[in-house]
Amino acid sequence: MSRFIALLMLILPLSVHALDIVVDDSFSDVELQQGIRYWLSDDPQAVPPPPESPLWETSTDTLTFGFEPRILWLTYTISNRSSHAQQLVLDVEYPLLDEVDIDYRLPGRAPVFYELGDTRPAKNASILHPHLIAALKLPEGQQASVMMRVKTSATLNVPMRLWHVESFIEQSQLDIAWYVMVYGMLVGIALYHLLIYVQLRETGFLWFSLFMFSLVGVFAFFQGILTTYVFPGLRENSNNLLIWMYVSAAAFCALYVLRTLDVRKYRPKYATSLYALIALGGLMLLLSVFISYSLMIRLLTLYALISMIVIVSVQIRRS
């Protein structure tokens, strides 16, 4: 972080040519996509170019770059044209970013820095939330400059929204109610089948229960819930956590299909393909110890496609 701060001292204050988000008395929220200036760098030690440099590009759509190993720099300003000070929340809605450094500056005041990211401790965030959140205070009549540095091993996708704090709280409450309902139902189904297994000792119910628990884990991981509220101590290993959970979900689903449809008896060749899928998952877990996450996430994407095709095909053929 100290290197990031030193770099910013060389390039701030920001250019007036950066996107200026205007906050007025009726402000609720705004999506930060089009008009934001960005720069991609191969060198993690590089200093961003001067604001007037043509190396800066302007976003014309969403800030989505796919599997991009370079460092992304973003710059924009926020102006308060309301009749009072504003309490704002910067919401990076995609939580699976390894490092998100935010420099927030007001004229004549000490800068405020945030070190966010799904591999960093949750305590670094100003607000405990599944997304990457920074609370910003903007006095009346002031313009703040924002510089962001984003680095990740997976997909470089940076959807952002600037909220008024009251609108943010209201939306968060609705989101939490939705999560409680959906995850409550899924966990309830998993527990129900686990209880049936305990009573009947039929392994098909056990495999389905474990499949549901793994699937809930995958969904909760992508939404930032798992490493924020459930297992915050695993944030440093959050990249591998996705691999472990998805491989578990595919393996338990394959075991459930094998048992429920009795594939080994009626379709031995198809049973072999399911066992091969489970073995391939085990190999994925082994490789995750030695191979970088940037490569593993590509292999996991391929494994997810293969597992879906194999499991669905076996069920159709067996039926």
Side-chain angles (χ1 to χ4, degrees):
M1 182 62 179
S2 59
R3 186 181 296 111
F4 172 63
I5 297 173
L7 294 177
L8 289 173
M9 296 297 292
L10 299 175
I11 60 175
L12 291 174
L14 295 174
S15 168
V16 295
H17 299 295
L19 173 68
D20 185 38
I21 298 103
V22 177
V23 177
D24 56 22
D25 287 319
S26 62
F27 179 77
S28 172
D29 64 277
V30 62
E31 186 179 27
L32 307 183
Q33 296 292 347
Q34 292 184 349
I36 290 183
R37 302 190 72 199
Y38 68 91
W39 178 61
L40 289 164
S41 171
D42 293 302
D43 183 4
Q45 310 297 327
V47 177
E52 66 276 7
S53 171
L55 293 177
W56 287 97
E57 300 181 56
T58 301
S59 172
T60 58
D61 200 350
T62 59
L63 293 167
T64 303
F65 302 92
F67 288 104
E68 176 57 73
R70 292 178 290 178
I71 308 296
L72 174 66
W73 291 83
L74 304 169
T75 174
Y76 53 93
T77 59
I78 308 172
S79 297
N80 184 0
R81 297 183 185 174
S82 69
S83 58
H84 56 275
Q86 293 283 346
Q87 301 288 334
L88 305 174
V89 175
L90 177 60
D91 178 6
V92 181
E93 298 171 317
Y94 181 63
L96 306 184
L97 298 170
D98 293 347
E99 299 176 9
V100 178
D101 296 325
I102 301 173
D103 176 284
Y104 180 74
R105 295 181 181 237
L106 288 164
R109 301 195 181 191
V112 179
F113 299 102
Y114 295 92
E115 289 182 299
L116 309 176
D118 74 328
T119 59
R120 289 171 167 172
K123 65 181 180 180
N124 286 9
S126 56
I127 302 173
L128 188 62
H129 193 275
H131 297 170
L132 305 179
I133 300 297
L136 310 175
K137 297 180 180 180
L138 185 58
E140 178 185 352
Q142 294 286 314
Q143 183 185 65
S145 59
V146 182
M147 176 72 76
M148 298 177 61
R149 175 184 176 274
V150 184
K151 178 186 177 186
T152 190
S153 302
T155 54
L156 187 57
N157 178 28
V158 194
M160 296 186 294
R161 186 170 294 273
L162 184 67
W163 295 88
H164 186 276
V165 64
E166 293 180 359
S167 300
F168 174 75
I169 292 173
E170 180 180 348
Q171 183 61 48
S172 295
Q173 290 174 338
L174 293 174
D175 291 341
I176 290 173
W178 170 253
Y179 293 148
V180 169
M181 181 183 70
V182 173
Y183 288 115
M185 288 191 299
L186 294 176
V187 171
I189 293 171
L191 289 174
Y192 173 73
H193 284 80
L194 184 60
L195 290 175
I196 294 178
Y197 164 72
V198 171
Q199 293 177 342
L200 302 180
R201 298 299 176 178
E202 169 53 53
T203 55
F205 292 106
L206 174 63
W207 300 138
F208 184 79
S209 175
L210 294 176
F211 164 68
M212 289 297 297
F213 280 125
S214 301
L215 197 61
V216 167
V218 172
F219 291 156
F221 177 86
F222 276 112
Q223 293 174 329
I225 295 173
L226 195 67
T227 55
T228 300
Y229 300 129
V230 184
F231 301 117
L234 296 178
R235 291 179 71 90
E236 292 184 0
N237 298 312
S238 62
N239 287 340
N240 286 331
L241 191 60
L242 173 62
I243 299 172
W244 302 335
M245 288 187 303
Y246 188 85
V247 168
S248 298
F252 290 134
C253 184
L255 289 169
Y256 170 70
V257 172
L258 278 166
R259 177 61 180 173
T260 305
L261 300 182
D262 205 2
V263 180
R264 284 174 293 186
K265 178 178 179 180
Y266 296 102
R267 297 281 187 172
K269 292 183 179 179
Y270 295 141
T272 302
S273 67
L274 291 173
Y275 285 125
L277 181 66
I278 296 172
L280 182 59
L283 179 61
M284 291 279 293
L285 295 180
L286 180 63
L287 290 175
S288 67
V289 179
F290 304 100
I291 297 180
S292 67
Y293 178 74
S294 58
L295 176 57
M296 282 304 304
I297 193 64
R298 291 170 170 81
L299 294 176
L300 182 65
T301 303
L302 179 61
Y303 177 74
L305 179 62
I306 293 173
S307 62
M308 194 163 46
I309 293 174
V310 170
I311 291 173
V312 172
S313 298
V314 170
Q315 292 183 74
I316 294 175
R317 294 289 185 177
R318 173 61 183 87
S319 299

